Amino acid sequence: MIKTVIIEDEKPASRKLERMLSIFPDIEVVAKIESVEEGVAWFSENEHPQLIFSDIVLGDGLSFDIFEKVPSKGFIIYTTAFDQYTLKAFKLNSIDYLLKPILDEDLAGAIEKFKSFLPSDNSVSGQDIKQLIKKDKSTLSRILVKIGYNLKIIQTQEISCFFSENKIVYLQTKDRTYPSDFTLDDLEETLEGKKFFRVNRQFIINSDYINNIHTSPNYKVELEFQPSEEITVSRDRVKDFKDWLVG
């Protein structure tokens, strides 16, 4: 059996996830945890499970706080309504990130992904987990932005570019610009490499939104970019940029 723990501070959500997991005959929920304090105590005193389903925002803090105090020896699948924590999640043994409300097919896919990491004897060490996750690096597919008191989910495929201005990173869609909580360095690590490329210190672009590419004898490369932007590729990035275009 695959020992599993649920970390969730909302009892209805915890019960629902437990019911969803009950259809998998090889998964056994051994504990349900509701707070950071309870989580630190439980993981300090008990054998770590192979699989953890964890919400992120708990009543007394973030579940990340649990695993920063007691490093997890199992795989973590985060279940949350807040996509802005994606980057940090993937640094803490996370193999998947399910946005609420969780769909049956997404849950099944996450469990299959977890099983694909396991050797035939179902045993894996903490160091093995980090190496396996590193090889299977996930990409950011959607971003949660705040508009006044409202939240909006934006698919990364709808984003033409990310850019930094006055120490804030913005994302640009065909309709408008939104501020984000990311850094360009973090985005560069997590966005899909075939689609996004960092052309200079200020911009990461989406290849789908390039209209024209202009070159000059001094190796300067300029892009005509949607909606109406001109962006210059840094000279030290020109070769990598050209390789990326045909890669």
Side-chain angles (χ1 to χ4, degrees):
M1 295 291 286
I2 297 169
K3 304 294 185 180
T4 305
V5 164
I6 294 174
I7 302 175
E8 170 63 69
D9 64 340
E10 297 181 3
K11 291 183 183 297
S14 180
R15 288 194 295 265
K16 180 181 178 181
L17 179 55
E18 187 174 22
R19 287 197 301 270
M20 294 175 74
L21 291 172
S22 67
I23 69 170
F24 299 92
D26 53 349
I27 288 182
E28 177 188 4
V29 177
V30 296
K32 292 191 291 183
I33 294 167
E34 298 183 6
S35 67
V36 172
E37 182 180 5
E38 183 184 353
V40 171
W42 194 93
F43 283 96
S44 298
E45 299 169 1
N46 293 273
E47 181 180 352
H48 288 206
Q50 295 165 291
L51 181 60
I52 301 162
F53 285 89
S54 179
D55 192 4
I56 292 179
V57 181
L58 304 176
D60 60 345
L62 302 179
S63 61
F64 299 140
D65 299 336
I66 299 172
F67 305 116
E68 287 174 349
K69 293 178 180 178
V70 188
S72 170
K73 298 177 183 177
F75 293 96
I76 305 171
I77 296 174
Y78 283 103
T79 60
T80 182
F82 301 100
D83 203 38
Q84 67 263 41
Y85 297 109
T86 310
L87 296 172
K88 187 168 184 178
F90 284 122
K91 295 178 181 179
L92 292 171
N93 288 9
S94 172
I95 57 169
D96 217 330
Y97 192 101
L98 304 179
L99 284 180
K100 296 177 178 178
I102 301 170
L103 302 177
D104 290 334
E105 56 267 33
D106 290 342
L107 179 62
I111 291 173
E112 284 304 310
K113 184 176 182 181
F114 156 73
K115 291 179 179 178
S116 72
F117 285 113
L118 295 179
S120 57
D121 61 357
N122 278 1
S123 64
V124 63
S125 69
Q127 187 59 36
D128 289 336
I129 290 173
K130 294 184 181 299
Q131 292 301 318
L132 289 167
I133 292 173
K134 187 175 181 181
K135 291 179 181 178
D136 189 70
K137 185 179 178 182
S138 298
T139 57
L140 191 64
S141 61
R142 49 189 174 181
I143 290 176
L144 196 69
V145 296
K146 189 174 182 180
I147 308 170
Y149 292 102
N150 299 313
L151 298 174
K152 178 181 176 66
I153 293 176
I154 299 178
Q155 304 294 325
T156 55
Q157 63 192 24
E158 300 172 7
I159 299 170
S160 61
C161 68
F162 296 86
F163 65 93
S164 175
E165 188 174 280
N166 297 323
K167 298 184 178 181
I168 298 175
V169 172
Y170 297 86
L171 59 92
Q172 177 71 54
T173 69
K174 65 178 181 180
D175 299 318
R176 60 171 290 181
T177 299
Y178 302 91
S180 78
D181 296 324
F182 299 114
T183 68
L184 289 180
D185 288 343
D186 284 340
L187 287 167
E188 188 177 13
E189 289 183 9
T190 317
L191 290 166
E192 182 185 352
K194 292 183 179 180
K195 186 71 66 176
F196 289 90
F197 185 84
R198 187 167 184 176
V199 294
N200 55 42
R201 294 181 64 183
Q202 186 182 6
F203 280 90
I204 295 176
I205 65 166
N206 183 337
S207 61
D208 290 341
Y209 294 83
I210 298 174
N211 286 333
N212 285 298
I213 302 173
H214 302 287
T215 61
S216 62
N218 63 355
Y219 299 102
K220 186 176 182 179
V221 175
E222 292 186 342
L223 309 176
E224 288 184 14
F225 207 71
Q226 298 180 30
S228 59
E229 186 77 52
E230 289 189 359
I231 300 173
T232 301
V233 181
S234 295
R235 288 193 180 186
D236 61 348
R237 304 241 64 194
V238 168
K239 182 180 183 305
D240 290 338
F241 173 70
K242 291 179 179 179
D243 291 342
W244 171 72
L245 286 175
V246 299

